[in-house]
Amino acid sequence: MTLAQQIITVAMVVAGTMLTRFLPFLLFPAGKPTPKFVKYLGRVLPAAVFGLLVVYCLKDVSIFAGSHGIPELISIALVVGLHLWKRQMLLSIAGGTICYMLLVQFVF
């Protein structure tokens, strides 16, 4: 890219970042109540995102070949157990990821 193209690219990224950071404050000022649909989205989107993540992570698992999905099942059980025990999302995700990687590398 030429210098002019690089400057334009950086300027567009800065403008896009600033727009996404400031737009919520412009659309929903502090004195006005939050619209019901925004509250609804705030309530249902986290569960939808995690459901989508689970489906995406398990889409290529075959119970009829390879390790038969056992490492995934053990890791899912660990994630659920850690979350129910500690209620710490980062700990649950990290624990399940580490468990899965160790199982795949050293056991299965």
Side-chain angles (χ1 to χ4, degrees), residues 18-71:
M18 289 177 59
L19 179 68
T20 58
R21 298 290 189 246
F22 297 143
L23 192 60
F25 295 104
L26 295 174
L27 292 176
F28 309 112
K32 292 175 63 178
T34 306
K36 287 188 178 206
F37 74 93
V38 174
K39 288 182 180 180
Y40 170 75
L41 289 176
R43 194 173 66 251
V44 298
L45 278 181
V49 168
F50 279 109
L52 183 66
L53 183 61
V54 168
V55 169
Y56 177 77
C57 289
L58 297 177
K59 69 178 173 49
D60 292 327
V61 175
S62 174
I63 60 171
F64 302 113
S67 60
H68 306 289
I70 296 170

Side-chain angles (χ1 to χ4, degrees), residues 75 78-79 82 89-101:
S75 299
L78 180 68
V79 168
L82 281 172
M89 188 182 309
L90 187 59
L91 175 66
S92 303
I93 293 170
T97 302
I98 291 169
C99 174
Y100 175 74
M101 295 309 293

